[in-house]
Amino acid sequence: MTWSAVLLVTAVVWAVSVIRSVRLRALVYSLPLPMTLALVTTEYRVDGAQVLGVLGLNLFFVTVAVTHQRWRWPILLADVAGIAVYVALSAGLLAVDIPFEMALAGTLVLWLAAILWLRRRARRRGASAEETVAVAETRPDGLPVLLKLVVIFVGAVLTQLLGAVLRGMVVTFPYSGVLVAVEARTQLTEFTRHFARNSLALVGFLAAYHYLQDVSSAVALGAGWAAFALVAVALHLPLRPRRVAQARAARRPPRALRPATEPPTSSGLP
C-alpha cells in the first residue's frame, strides 16, 4: 500500500468523525474506497476469501463493541482484540481454497441470519422505531481539530503497516475501521448494527468486481461501484418512509393516555 492509501484512510476517518448521525456514519464508512485503492495498487484478485472478509469486518466491530461496552476494556485494547479476530479469520481463509460461489452463498445466508437476529433482538429489548431513525449525536472528545487530524494520520500509518502482511485479505482489512471505532466508541452497538446492514453493498461490490476482473480492472471497478450503489439504494430507500411513519407513531402517546377533548361551552341559557 502507498502513501495515497494512508491519506485516503485519514480522509475517510476524518469525514466519519464530523458526522453526527450514526446511520450516516455507517454508510460513509461502508463506501469501498479503501477496497478500491487496495485493488488498484496491488495485484490481488477478488476470490471467495475476500467475500468472506466482509464477515471479518463485521466480526471486527462486534468484537470491539463487546469488549469495550460490555467488558469495559479501553477502546484501544478493544481495537487490538478486533484486529486479532480479523487476522485469525484471515489466516484460516487463506489456508484453504474457497470457491467464490460457495463463499458468496454462505456470506448471503449469514448476512440474512444476522439481520433477522439483530431485528429480533431489538424488538425483544423494546427498541422503538424512533431509535432506529433518530439522529444520534456524539460526545465531543475535546481534542483540537489539528491534533485530531494528526492522531488519525498516525493511526492510519500503523494500520497500513499491519495490513501489508495480510496478502489478499488486505482488500477487506479494516484500515479506517480501527480509527472509526475510536470515533464512534459511545455508539458502537448502533454503529455495528447499521454497518451490518450496509455490508451487503460491499458484497455486491466484490461480486461485480470478481466476475469482471478478467476483462479489465477499470471495468471491474466501475461495475463494482455500480453494484454497491444499487444495493445501497435498495437497502435504504424503500424502508425509510415506513420507518419515519413508525417513528412518528412511536412519539404519539397512546389513545388511552391522550387528554380528553373538553366539550365546548355554550353561551346560551341552560
Side-chain angles (χ1 to χ4, degrees):
M1 300 293 283
T2 62
W3 282 104
S4 59
V6 175
L7 294 175
L8 179 60
V9 170
T10 303
V12 171
V13 179
W14 177 255
V16 171
S17 70
V18 299
I19 296 173
R20 307 182 76 85
S21 167
V22 177
R23 181 172 59 189
L24 186 56
R25 277 186 170 205
L27 179 60
V28 171
Y29 172 72
S30 66
L31 294 174
L33 292 171
M35 288 186 184
T36 298
L37 195 58
L39 291 169
V40 169
T41 58
T42 65
E43 298 180 353
Y44 294 122
R45 295 171 57 84
V46 171
D47 293 313
Q50 283 70 41
V51 174
L52 292 173
V54 176
L55 299 178
L57 284 174
N58 283 280
L59 286 176
F60 167 81
F61 280 108
V62 169
T63 303
V64 176
V66 170
T67 54
H68 178 62
Q69 293 189 333
R70 180 173 298 180
W71 297 352
R72 305 299 182 184
W73 289 14
I75 185 60
L76 295 180
L77 186 58
D79 261 338
V80 172
I83 292 174
V85 169
Y86 181 86
V87 171
L89 176 67
S90 299
L93 294 177
L94 293 173
V96 295
D97 185 17
I98 305 173
F100 182 82
E101 285 73 18
M102 182 182 299
L104 180 61
T107 300
L108 293 177
V109 170
L110 291 175
W111 178 86
L112 181 59
I115 294 300
L116 293 176
W117 179 79
L118 287 172
R119 289 184 178 178
R120 185 178 305 171
R121 184 169 178 265
R123 286 195 298 266
R124 190 164 54 242
R125 287 191 170 190
S128 64
E130 183 178 2
E131 177 190 1
T132 306
V133 298
V135 175
E137 294 185 353
T138 59
R139 293 185 304 187
D141 55 17
L143 291 178
V145 174
L146 292 180
L147 180 56
K148 180 187 289 188
L149 189 59
V150 170
V151 171
I152 292 173
F153 180 79
V154 172
V157 174
L158 295 177
T159 53
Q160 288 288 348
L161 295 176
L162 178 59
V165 304
L166 292 173
R167 293 183 289 165
M169 297 305 293
V170 73
V171 174
T172 53
F173 179 75
Y175 296 107
S176 55
V178 174
L179 303 168
V180 167
V182 176
E183 286 291 329
R185 59 190 177 275
T186 60
Q187 301 147 337
L188 276 173
T189 301
E190 293 82 2
F191 181 89
T192 301
R193 184 172 68 247
H194 287 297
F195 175 71
R197 185 179 66 165
N198 294 333
S199 63
L200 183 63
L202 294 177
V203 176
F205 171 86
L206 293 172
Y209 187 94
H210 169 79
Y211 287 112
L212 292 175
Q213 61 187 341
D214 291 329
V215 177
S216 74
S217 59
V219 172
L221 285 174
W225 275 94
F228 174 88
L230 182 63
V231 176
V233 169
L235 287 173
H236 287 271
L237 288 185
L239 297 179
R240 185 176 178 83
R242 186 179 67 183
R243 289 186 172 178
V244 170
Q246 290 175 344
R248 291 175 180 174
R251 288 193 296 265
R252 189 180 303 125
R255 183 177 299 274
L257 299 179
R258 295 179 192 172
T261 304
E262 297 182 0
T265 58
S266 174
S267 58
L269 295 176

